[in-house]
Amino acid sequence: EAAVTQSPRSKVAVTGGKVTLSCHQTNNHDYMYWYRQDTGHGLRLIHYSYVADSTEKGDIPDGYKASRPSQENFSLILELASLSQTAVYFCASSDRGNQDTQYFGPGTRLLVL
Amino acid sequence: QQQVRQSPQSLTVWEGETAILNCSYENSAFDYFPWYQQFPGEGPALLIAIRSVSDKKEDGRFTIFFNKREKKLSLHITDSQPGDSATYFCAAMNQGGSAKLIFGEGTKLTVSS
């Protein structure tokens, strides 16, 4: 069954440390996305990618980097984690021919102390 | 600037009642409006969607009503069940633009039995 998986599922990080969140999809989809979810803000797009080795800035990219080394994998990197980056992070994928529908992973709960 | 707004923030209905979730948007270029359903601890999943050429979309107990002139839409859940308790996100996309969804803040629905 096609799926989007994320690792880790939860993480505690220290302020100023580096954090890498990983996403893997078996949907054979071209497009991948990273969102953060905060209470009262819904889902906000951080970075996205149309194709391997290329990434695009979303609506709130500051403080985040993204890497798409292959069609299946998309990582979100926090070089210097800050308290304000405590949130739940979701990865999603969509097909180029049906980009309307995004398939989400289960999320990563990040706590920055 | 929140381009997609939802109300109410939370809603409680009795089992068997109709729940009405509201959504409004600002960008006239938006032409595709999906609703995503999210259960606690999971990622959002597409529930139902409507394109701007239609004013109504039904799928079982779920119906979207769309008013293009007023830039408003609503999700009606008839015969609400406890299993419908979840957070519902309204989203919008300009299908002629980038493959980006803009999400509202969400409405948390509780169905009491």
Side-chain angles (χ1 to χ4, degrees):
Chain A
E1 181 177 326
V4 179
T5 56
Q6 295 182 232
S7 62
R9 291 297 313 278
S10 66
K11 184 173 181 63
V12 179
V14 296
T15 304
K18 183 177 181 178
V19 176
T20 300
L21 307 182
S22 300
C23 178
H24 179 78
Q25 55 105 351
T26 58
N27 296 328
N28 198 31
H29 287 168
D30 290 304
Y31 299 171
M32 296 187 75
Y33 313 80
W34 274 108
Y35 293 90
R36 66 175 281 172
Q37 184 174 36
D38 305 273
T39 303
H41 287 282
L43 291 144
R44 292 182 290 176
L45 183 64
I46 305 171
H47 285 289
Y48 60 107
S49 170
Y50 292 126
V51 68
D53 296 322
S54 179
T55 63
E56 308 289 336
K57 292 182 179 179
D59 299 319
I60 54 165
D62 293 345
Y64 302 94
K65 291 184 180 180
S67 173
R68 181 93 183 271
S70 64
Q71 185 191 39
E72 299 80 14
N73 296 292
F74 193 34
S75 297
L76 185 68
I77 303 149
L78 290 66
E79 295 278 5
L80 296 170
S82 66
L83 295 174
S84 64
Q85 293 177 312
T86 291
V88 181
Y89 292 85
F90 288 97
C91 177
S93 72
S94 66
D95 183 49
R96 185 191 314 182
N98 185 23
Q99 56 189 268
D100 305 345
T101 303
Q102 295 186 11
Y103 297 85
F104 284 81
T108 294
R109 187 173 297 274
L110 176 65
L111 174 62
V112 183
L113 300 175
Chain B
Q1 183 183 8
Q2 190 73 27
Q3 294 191 62
V4 177
R5 293 191 177 276
Q6 292 185 243
S7 65
Q9 191 172 14
S10 62
L11 176 65
T12 299
V13 299
W14 291 105
E15 183 175 357
E17 291 186 333
T18 296
I20 300 176
L21 289 65
N22 300 302
C23 179
S24 63
Y25 63 98
E26 298 178 0
N27 189 341
S28 299
F30 290 151
D31 55 7
Y32 173 73
F33 304 90
W35 286 81
Y36 280 76
Q37 181 187 55
Q38 183 182 31
F39 295 107
E42 298 181 9
L46 179 65
L47 177 66
I48 185 173
I50 191 167
R51 303 189 192 281
S52 60
V53 293
S54 302
D55 55 14
K56 182 180 177 181
K57 178 70 176 293
E58 284 184 89
D59 185 358
R61 297 184 293 107
F62 300 90
T63 302
I64 299 174
F65 293 93
F66 178 65
N67 185 322
K68 187 174 183 177
R69 183 180 61 83
E70 295 188 5
K71 297 180 185 175
K72 292 182 178 179
L73 56 162
S74 60
L75 175 67
H76 291 226
I77 307 173
T78 58
D79 188 25
S80 295
Q81 301 297 309
D84 297 330
S85 297
T87 298
Y88 293 81
F89 291 99
C90 173
M93 172 189 277
N94 173 9
Q95 292 186 300
S98 63
K100 292 169 54 177
L101 279 173
I102 307 299
F103 285 85
E105 312 97 317
T107 293
K108 184 177 181 180
L109 174 67
T110 302
V111 181
S112 298
S113 57

